[in-house]
Amino acid sequence: MTKQKITIAIDGFSSTGKSTIAKALAKELNYIYVDTGAMYRAVTLYAMQNNYISSDSFNPTQLINDLDKVKLSFTFNETLGFAEMYLNNTNVEKEIRTIEVSKLVSKVAAISEVRKKLVSEQQEMGKEKGIVMDGRDIGTVVFPDAELKLFMTASADKRAKRRYKELIDRGDNVNYEEILHNVQERDRIDSTREDSPLIKAEDAIEFDNSDMGLKEQFERVMTLVKDRL
């Protein structure tokens, strides 16, 4: 592979397998991988820990006032083969993947001050290129000049089934209807928020993986990467 490095931006709806493909690409290319969703989840966890947000209440002002106390970092775990999310020097990788965080993260991600802080950190991470970043606004806001932009989508039902299996396999006690509702609600909030709504960048390649296995997805995306390189 050529030594030239590019920026790969992967956007799309929740549970479309963005991070799975992004991790595989980063490993193959020896690039840095950044899961921006984990960053928003970590801020959400912080808000939950400090009682700024719950299923029936939210005080965004308190969270905004506390943002300078929220320190986020990724530390590579050689055993797992990917970087884990740390919140104020504590590994929160497992805590941020719960259904409780999933239910609240879109509300936190809609706050302009939160987005401004995290976008700035994300742009700093990618200024040298050689990065694969996935999220909701990578190709439109974080890296509008990325050499390769993908927009991943799949039916809500397929995405809910994938997420349900993932949580059940992990030992979580969840039901499918709750997961489906969460997927649909996150779609609604992400697509309609005022600040950086989830939209496909004009120059992004739409990638519907409803009926695609991981191997086929990876091979198709690698073809696009090689074309850009």
Side-chain angles (χ1 to χ4, degrees):
M1 199 78 72
T2 175
K3 288 184 179 178
Q4 176 200 353
K5 290 191 170 181
I6 63 171
T7 299
I8 301 172
I10 304 179
D11 290 308
F13 295 95
S14 66
S15 302
T16 47
K18 298 186 299 293
S19 60
T20 303
I21 285 294
K23 283 176 193 171
L25 286 175
K27 186 176 181 181
E28 178 74 15
L29 298 164
N30 197 26
Y31 275 19
I32 295 166
Y33 163 63
V34 178
D35 174 4
T36 64
M39 298 172 74
Y40 286 99
R41 284 172 173 272
V43 176
T44 303
L45 181 65
Y46 178 88
M48 292 166 67
Q49 290 171 339
N50 289 277
N51 299 315
Y52 299 157
I53 191 169
S54 67
S55 58
D56 52 11
S57 68
F58 185 23
N59 189 325
T61 304
Q62 285 183 302
L63 176 59
I64 291 165
N65 291 340
D66 250 14
L67 280 178
D68 60 340
K69 297 178 185 174
V70 179
K71 307 294 183 214
L72 305 177
S73 61
F74 288 97
T75 299
F76 190 77
N77 183 321
E78 287 189 5
T79 305
L80 295 174
F82 62 88
E84 295 180 292
M85 187 79 245
Y86 280 70
L87 168 62
N88 294 334
N89 299 315
T90 300
N91 187 327
V92 293
E93 188 63 34
K94 188 170 187 217
E95 290 86 344
I96 63 172
R97 306 296 174 184
T98 62
I99 186 65
E100 288 75 24
V101 172
S102 293
K103 285 178 179 177
L104 302 174
V105 64
S106 289
K107 291 180 181 178
V108 171
I111 300 171
S112 292
E113 289 84 354
V114 172
R115 301 201 72 82
K116 184 178 179 182
K117 172 186 170 73
L118 298 195
V119 166
S120 175
E121 292 181 13
Q122 291 153 13
Q123 288 173 333
E124 183 66 23
M125 291 174 191
K127 65 181 182 181
E128 303 295 331
K129 295 188 182 278
I131 193 166
V132 185
M133 194 174 283
D134 73 82
R136 302 288 193 280
D137 62 349
I138 313 305
T140 53
V141 176
V142 183
F143 297 123
D145 298 322
E147 288 84 354
L148 176 60
K149 300 179 187 178
L150 299 175
F151 188 87
M152 297 183 71
T153 183
S155 69
D157 177 60
K158 286 281 174 75
R159 289 184 284 132
K161 284 174 179 170
R162 288 173 190 167
R163 181 79 178 130
Y164 175 74
K165 183 181 184 305
E166 181 186 319
L167 292 171
I168 289 293
D169 288 349
R170 207 180 72 175
D172 289 9
N173 182 23
V174 292
N175 69 70
Y176 170 74
E177 292 303 326
E178 182 182 22
I179 301 293
L180 178 61
H181 175 73
N182 175 242
V183 165
Q184 292 169 331
E185 183 64 6
R186 286 179 69 187
D187 287 353
R188 184 189 68 76
I189 296 174
D190 291 343
S191 301
T192 58
R193 65 175 177 238
E194 287 186 23
D195 190 336
S196 310
L198 171 62
I199 53 172
K200 175 178 168 286
E202 285 186 12
D203 53 347
I205 298 167
E206 187 161 330
F207 203 82
D208 188 328
N209 63 12
S210 296
D211 301 304
M212 236 184 267
L214 283 176
K215 186 171 183 288
E216 183 184 355
Q217 287 182 61
F218 179 72
E219 288 172 353
R220 288 198 186 189
V221 175
M222 271 308 296
T223 301
L224 296 170
V225 172
K226 288 173 181 174
D227 179 59
R228 298 303 189 278
L229 288 168

